[in-house]
Amino acid sequence: MYDQSKLSELIRFARVGAGSTVIDVYPGDGDWTHLFSDIVGPDGRVYSFVPAEVAHFKNDPVGRMRTLAMEPGRANVEAVSADLVAMPEVTRPADVLWLHLFYHDLHTALMQTRGAAAADFNRAVYERLKPGGFYVIVDHAAAAGAGTGDAQSLHRIDPASVREEVEAAGFVLDAESTLLANGNDSHSIKVFDPSIKGETDRFAYRFLKI
C-alpha cells in the first residue's frame, strides 16, 4: 500500500522497535503483522487480533492469521480473536496498539452488533497498553466538521472526532503526521471508489498512555 520510505516513516512514527509487544488490530492480509514481526524480533511479540465481529467473513481472517503465525520465523506472532472490546482478555500488556484504516469502523453497524462502541474500545486499549505505551491510528479523513457521520457511508471519519474520543479515554496526543495527507481529496467520495482508492487523504495520530 505504501512505498518503502513511507513504510519506514510510519514504523518510526509508531515507535515499534526490537523487543516491542505490538497488537495489530484487524490485520487484514497480515501485511503489518509481517512487518512488525520482523522488527520486534525474537524478544518481541505481535498479537494479530481479529475482532470476532468479522471472524465469520468468507476469507477466514482468523485462519489466515493462524497460518501466518505458523510460517517459519514467525514464532513471535500469535493470532487471537475475541469480541472487539474483549481484546484485553486475549493479549498481554503492549507497548504499541496499531489501528490502520479501521477506527472509522467502530462507528459502523457491523462493529456495533456486539456492543463495540468506540468509547468502550478506547477504554479497552487504555487498559491493555503499558504506561508509556502508544495507541497509533491511521485512517481516511472525512471533511472537517463531519464528525462520525460519514463512517458508514464513505468509510471516513473526521480526525477531530477521533482525537476527542481517544482523549476522553485518558490518552494524550503525543504526535500527528501529515505523511499520508492528500489535499486533492474532496472527502466526499467513498474510499473504495476507483478515482480515489489508495490515494485518500489520511491522518496519523500517536496517543500516549501516561
Side-chain angles (χ1 to χ4, degrees):
M1 182 177 290
Y2 306 118
D3 62 32
Q4 188 57 51
S5 64
K6 287 185 178 179
L7 280 176
S8 297
E9 179 57 34
L10 285 170
I11 289 165
R12 283 194 295 271
F13 181 79
R15 295 292 192 265
V16 175
S20 295
T21 296
V22 183
I23 303 173
D24 181 14
V25 176
Y26 198 7
D29 292 331
D31 294 342
W32 289 105
T33 293
H34 268 117
L35 280 170
F36 295 145
S37 172
D38 292 340
I39 294 163
V40 304
D43 294 328
R45 193 75 174 163
V46 181
Y47 290 97
S48 194
F49 176 72
V50 179
E53 290 84 353
V54 301
H56 65 283
F57 282 8
K58 291 181 180 180
N59 64 352
D60 187 19
V62 178
R64 294 173 74 186
M65 292 307 102
R66 286 176 177 163
T67 298
L68 184 159
M70 290 188 291
E71 292 176 358
R74 302 296 173 196
N76 60 4
V77 174
E78 183 176 348
V80 292
S81 183
D83 285 354
L84 196 59
V85 295
M87 177 266 299
E89 299 173 14
V90 294
T91 57
R92 293 181 182 176
D95 300 291
V96 178
L97 188 136
W98 174 257
L99 209 60
H100 183 256
L101 307 183
F102 177 72
Y103 189 94
H104 68 272
D105 284 305
L106 297 172
H107 291 278
T108 63
L110 173 65
M111 288 299 147
Q112 293 173 353
T113 53
R114 295 173 183 249
D120 294 329
F121 178 71
N122 289 333
R123 283 193 293 269
V125 175
Y126 194 89
E127 174 187 336
R128 185 36 71 215
L129 283 175
K130 301 173 184 177
F134 296 109
Y135 182 12
V136 184
I137 298 171
V138 179
D139 214 335
H140 308 283
T148 62
D150 291 335
Q152 185 79 49
S153 58
L154 302 181
H155 289 267
R156 297 173 178 271
I157 192 164
D158 184 351
S161 292
V162 175
R163 180 174 178 178
E164 180 180 355
E165 291 179 351
V166 175
E167 289 180 337
F171 288 97
V172 174
L173 182 65
D174 187 58
E176 55 185 300
S177 172
T178 58
L179 177 70
L180 306 176
N182 178 6
N184 295 319
D185 183 355
S186 70
H187 302 118
S188 62
I189 302 172
K190 195 170 186 175
V191 301
F192 307 117
D193 189 287
S195 67
I196 199 65
K197 186 177 181 180
E199 301 294 336
T200 53
D201 182 26
R202 301 175 189 183
F203 61 94
Y205 282 150
R206 185 177 72 230
F207 295 94
L208 172 68
K209 176 179 177 178
I210 302 287

